[in-house]
Structure formats: structure tokens, C-alpha cells
Amino acid sequence: MRKFVIMGVQGSGKGTQAKGLCDDLDMEHISVGDIFRWNVQHHTKLGAQVRRLMATGHLVDDDLVEAVVRERLALHDWNYGFVVDGFPRNRRQAEFFLEGYDIDGVIQLDLPEEEVVRRVLARRLCSQCGLDYNLIAHRPKEDDRCDVCGGTLVARDDDNPTALAVRLREYHEKTRPVIDLFRRKEFVAEIDATRPRDEVQAAIRARFGLPPISARPPRK
């Protein structure tokens, strides 16, 4: 069983790289952001609370994030392991996580701030099915229309210059110290996220001794 945490600033490709690992190696991708966005799209009570915070760029309250992660991991549907994406975001959350789970390593995706701004402001989301697009790397066939369901593509509430500036400041203030904590207790692999997607995936696998995509062993 493999257990990883993937970290990095907004737009560094955490979700893309986590999905690549999980789809190929039968792990579960546990994305805090996806859980929150699902609740926002389905107009739940949690979603209303999260939507207000996302619109201003602020991180969701520690207690709420921890409760969501506890509930998700308690499902125990990760027989072959998991990659946690978007958690922990500060020292308190990191300590909670390390107390309960023996992780194999931390994937830290490094991306310069100017590239963060370029990527994040190009992101789009289908308003109907929730599929992610990026106007730089993954454009729809028809402008502003989802290739799958035909829904309208919109920017996420928190993908605007003001909210992004808040997120970047909070990331450097709160999240970077988490990396320092992990460095003392776990293996942290720092990966250059400016490279093409497939090269980043290959670098992650090489650092942790995971099988290349083309050489995946048969599932038993």
C-alpha cells in the first residue's frame, strides 16, 4: 500500500499529477479542493460556507478541513493506497495527519510565482459537469463550451487576481512551514513543475521508485 501527500502552490499541477498516479496505480485521489467544489456545485450547507471563503481567497478553517479529511479517509476505500491533495495546509493539520498515517513521502511541486499567475488565471471549469480546462494546455474544441456535455465554461470563484494574491500570501505564510516539518520527519521530493506534464509525472515516479507508466505490473 502506498500513501503520499502532494503539495504545491495553486496552479502547480497537484491534481493532474495525483490523478496520473492514482489512475495508473489503483490508488485513491483524495482532493480536499474537489470535495469542497462538489459541495459548492450541489449547494450544500458546507458548500455555501466554502463558497464565501473561496470567493475571497481565504483558506477554509482548520477544524472544517480536518473533519472533511477524517471523514473521507474513514471510508477506507483505498486498498492500494492514496494521494492526498490539498492537505495539510498548515502545521496543525500536518501534525494531525502524521499522528494517524504512516506516509511514504511528500511530493512538493515547485513553480515560480509568475507562472502560477499565468496558469491559474487561465483555468476554467464546466458549470454543468465540473470538468477542468486550462486555456493554455487544455483548451476546449469550441470556445467557452465543454467538450463533454456542452456546458458553459466559467472561471472558478477564487481564480481572480485579488483572491490569488491572498492565496499566495497565505501559502507562503502557512503552508511552506509544513514542508519544513515534513523534511524533518518524512522524505520530501522537490519536483520542478515548470516542465511538461509527462516529464513531471516521470520525475515523481523516479524519485519514489514507482513503476513507469509503460511498465506497470499486473494487478493481483
Side-chain angles (χ1 to χ4, degrees):
M1 183 184 294
R2 303 176 174 109
K3 299 186 288 293
F4 294 100
V5 170
I6 190 165
M7 302 188 70
V9 73
Q10 294 279 330
S12 59
K14 297 187 298 295
T16 297
Q17 297 304 329
K19 188 175 186 300
L21 290 171
C22 292
D23 287 352
D24 191 47
L25 301 174
D26 296 313
M27 296 186 290
E28 285 296 318
H29 178 200
I30 299 175
S31 168
V32 174
D34 285 351
I35 293 171
F36 286 151
R37 280 188 287 275
W38 184 93
N39 279 275
V40 169
Q41 290 170 6
H42 290 80
H43 306 288
T44 67
K45 183 177 180 181
L46 171 61
Q49 183 177 355
V50 170
R51 188 183 187 94
R52 288 193 296 271
L53 291 167
M54 288 174 65
T56 59
H58 289 290
L59 298 180
V60 178
D61 177 78
D62 291 351
D63 292 336
L64 182 57
V65 172
E66 288 174 22
V68 166
V69 173
R70 284 180 190 270
E71 181 179 348
R72 178 63 185 85
L73 288 171
L75 295 177
H76 289 287
D77 58 350
W78 33 273
N79 295 331
Y80 294 90
F82 59 72
V83 178
V84 173
D85 164 10
F87 183 90
R89 294 177 178 174
N90 57 48
R91 188 181 183 90
R92 171 182 166 181
Q93 293 174 358
E95 291 171 345
F96 148 73
F97 193 71
L98 288 173
E99 286 174 3
Y101 299 93
D102 182 21
I103 63 174
D104 294 285
V106 177
I107 302 161
Q108 166 64 22
L109 300 179
D110 292 327
L111 193 68
E113 193 162 304
E114 59 271 19
E115 181 64 9
V116 172
V117 173
R118 189 176 80 96
R119 290 187 184 186
V120 168
L121 297 186
R123 295 194 300 197
R124 296 295 184 271
L125 183 72
C126 177
S127 58
Q128 290 187 27
C129 71
L131 186 65
D132 283 313
Y133 289 84
N134 187 290
L135 301 184
I136 299 171
H138 179 208
R139 296 185 64 90
K141 295 176 182 177
E142 180 183 348
D143 288 348
D144 300 323
R145 289 291 174 187
C146 177
D147 294 341
V148 176
C149 72
T152 302
L153 301 187
V154 297
R156 299 178 186 177
D157 288 343
D158 55 342
D159 282 353
N160 62 74
T162 301
L164 179 58
V166 173
R167 291 207 304 278
L168 287 171
R169 184 176 67 250
E170 291 199 353
Y171 175 82
H172 292 300
E173 290 175 353
K174 296 181 178 181
T175 309
R176 291 299 300 185
V178 173
I179 299 296
D180 295 333
L181 175 64
F182 277 138
R183 283 197 184 102
R184 293 196 294 271
K185 298 187 177 185
E186 304 292 341
F187 175 37
V188 176
E190 297 195 16
I191 306 294
D192 178 5
T194 64
R195 292 182 291 177
R197 177 177 58 189
D198 290 346
E199 290 184 18
V200 174
Q201 180 76 190
I204 293 170
R205 292 175 182 238
R207 290 294 298 275
F208 288 102
L210 299 172
I213 295 175
S214 60
R216 177 187 176 190
R219 177 169 150 181
K220 298 180 179 179

